[in-house]
Amino acid sequence: MSEYAAQAPAGVVTEPAWLAVFSLAMGVFGLLTAEYLPASLLTPMALDLGVSEALAGQAVTVTAVVALFAGLLVPGLTRSIDRRVVLLGFSTLMIASNLLVALSSSLTVLLLMRILLGIALGGFWSMAAAVAMRLVPTASLPRALSIIFSGIAAGTVVAVPLGSYLGGLYGWRSAFIAAAAVGGVTLAFQAFTLPRLAPSGTARLRTVLEVLLRPGIAMGMFGCVLVHTAHFALFTYIRPFLESTTGVDTQGLALMLLGFGVANFVGTLLAGWLLVRHPRGTLVLMPVLVGIAALALVWLPVSLPGQALLLALWGMAFGGVPVAWSNWVARAVPDQAESAGGMVVASVQSAIAAGAAGGGLMFSVSGIAGVFVGAGVLMLIAALLIALRVQVPRQDGDAGVTHQPSLV
């Protein structure tokens, strides 16, 4: 690959750096795997560290809160540093976080080590799209982004069942050691493939705020936050729910979570097809299905095959949520898609923190069933809000003309 191709501004890159693009996808996979691991290891982590499952779940909250601020602040704080060096630094932080979590002797130490992951996670997401624009020609950008974001689906498929499986065989710490090994491979591949990326401008908080103040954007972001908050309240406490309702063993749990991940991947592909035909309907349908699945898991008679099917429905439905909201942002803010993307990252990370924290509070007050009922109802409320208040600008097919009605 040519160094010029990677350093040139978006739109004048002539030679795509596909190996570098794949290295970013590996980074997404490694970060998502590390972020989601506590969801499958909550019970053994809590027992080993001598804390409640609700407290152990805050390993997710801490990472999300730090990622929120890192996504907004890190690009500016590193404005004078080669982007290649910054990206390699994120992978190094990911490795360090996983290793130190595996060696943690208390919940306090573990939470402090998860801060490192939050910095890497938020910083990486804030730069991923901008870096992709400097690695490939404009015509190849959609393909590059689809490759990079496929790491999300892969991480969803692998992280939770892998964590549950390794945790059952060798203890929960082994799962984080495995995640560190994935990070090491990622770091080596990125060091080999990423070209120099001299800094060429910075993201600013002011631009994000200007985008948020446009008509209808704040309401759309509120809908996005509600959906993700409800999902992560559910997802953080998925293991204790399944164990308490079905008594499933470790291997059975791993298979159920693998089914969730595979369905999630299918949902990602299905959403792309649906969005072409019914973009607004897709935004509404996905949280409706997740809400119904969550309530059915609590209220329908306990049956292992039935719960596996409901879990798969939930995974498939939520697989389309990130795709649908990314599509909404691209349509609603085509002139500031990068700043709007950063706003979505901050919104999702705040929702992850709120979901994990709110789920923990509900768990303490009303038990695991209360978490699923509350989050399921919140999903349905979010769907109603989206149906009534959020609109998607119409795009005229191949003409590429975007009409922007009032998004209120």
Side-chain angles (χ1 to χ4, degrees):
M1 85 194 70
S2 71
E3 186 173 296
Y4 167 76
Q7 294 191 54
V12 298
V13 178
T14 57
E15 184 181 345
W18 290 117
L19 286 178
V21 170
F22 279 105
S23 78
L24 295 182
M26 290 179 63
V28 172
F29 172 76
L31 288 166
L32 263 292
T33 297
E35 183 179 21
Y36 288 166
L37 273 181
S40 64
L41 299 167
L42 215 54
T43 303
M45 284 172 62
L47 287 173
D48 188 29
L49 297 174
V51 298
S52 68
E53 290 171 326
L55 277 178
Q58 301 319 304
V60 177
T61 308
V62 167
T63 303
V65 170
V66 174
L68 188 162
F69 289 103
L72 295 174
L73 299 176
V74 166
L77 294 174
T78 60
R79 65 171 62 91
S80 61
I81 304 175
D82 187 320
R83 289 359 233 165
R84 177 182 186 273
V85 174
V86 176
L87 289 171
L88 293 178
F90 292 150
S91 294
T92 302
L93 285 178
M94 173 176 60
I95 297 168
S97 171
N98 287 322
L99 285 177
L100 293 171
V101 165
L103 297 173
S104 296
S105 57
S106 68
L107 180 65
T108 301
V109 175
L110 185 147
L111 294 179
L112 288 174
M113 296 309 100
R114 294 283 290 183
I115 290 175
L116 300 181
L117 180 66
I119 295 172
L121 187 70
F124 182 91
W125 279 116
S126 68
M127 296 181 184
V131 171
M133 293 171 67
R134 300 175 64 188
L135 293 175
V136 300
T138 301
S140 300
L141 184 59
R143 181 184 175 193
L145 291 175
S146 69
I147 291 172
I148 293 170
F149 295 144
S150 70
I152 299 177
T156 303
V157 170
V158 172
V160 176
L162 177 65
S164 179
Y165 180 72
L166 288 178
L169 287 180
Y170 307 110
W172 67 269
R173 298 176 190 273
S174 68
F176 285 95
I177 293 174
V182 170
V185 174
T186 299
L187 177 63
F189 191 48
Q190 288 177 340
F192 177 74
T193 60
L194 280 174
R196 289 180 56 247
L197 296 163
S200 60
T202 60
R204 299 180 184 279
L205 281 175
R206 179 179 175 182
T207 306
V208 174
L209 293 174
E210 289 172 351
V211 170
L212 187 61
L213 292 174
R214 294 185 184 184
I217 300 300
M219 183 60 68
M221 285 295 96
F222 183 56
C224 176
V225 167
L226 285 182
V227 171
H228 283 86
T229 297
H231 168 73
F232 283 101
L234 294 167
F235 191 72
T236 303
Y237 297 94
I238 187 173
R239 176 168 180 160
F241 175 82
L242 292 175
E243 289 177 333
S244 65
T245 55
T246 64
V248 63
D249 61 19
T250 301
Q251 290 188 342
L253 180 65
L255 287 175
M256 292 180 74
L257 295 177
L258 178 61
F260 177 95
V262 172
N264 187 266
F265 182 76
V266 172
T268 302
L269 301 178
L270 180 62
W273 180 83
L274 288 174
L275 285 167
V276 174
R277 294 156 180 80
H278 305 289
R280 185 165 177 269
T282 305
L283 283 174
V284 177
L285 177 63
M286 298 303 179
V288 167
L289 293 178
V290 175
I292 290 173
L295 295 176
L297 281 167
V298 176
W299 289 340
L300 292 184
V302 175
S303 162
L304 196 58
Q307 287 206 333
L309 288 174
L310 288 171
L311 204 63
L313 174 63
W314 166 15
M316 183 185 68
F318 189 77
V321 169
V323 181
W325 282 105
S326 296
N327 179 73
W328 179 82
V329 165
R331 288 171 178 263
V333 196
D335 59 317
Q336 290 290 348
E338 185 176 334
S339 294
M343 182 175 60
V344 171
V345 171
S347 298
V348 171
Q349 292 302 323
S350 64
I352 293 173
L361 179 62
M362 187 69 72
F363 194 179
S364 300
V365 173
S366 57
I368 195 65
V371 175
F372 273 63
V373 171
V377 170
L378 183 59
M379 272 290 186
L380 297 179
I381 292 173
L384 181 62
L385 173 73
I386 294 165
L388 296 177
R389 300 298 303 276
V390 177
Q391 296 183 16
V392 179
R394 191 177 79 254
Q395 187 167 344
D396 293 336
D398 296 336
V401 178
T402 301
H403 303 275
Q404 295 191 20
S406 175
L407 302 177
V408 294

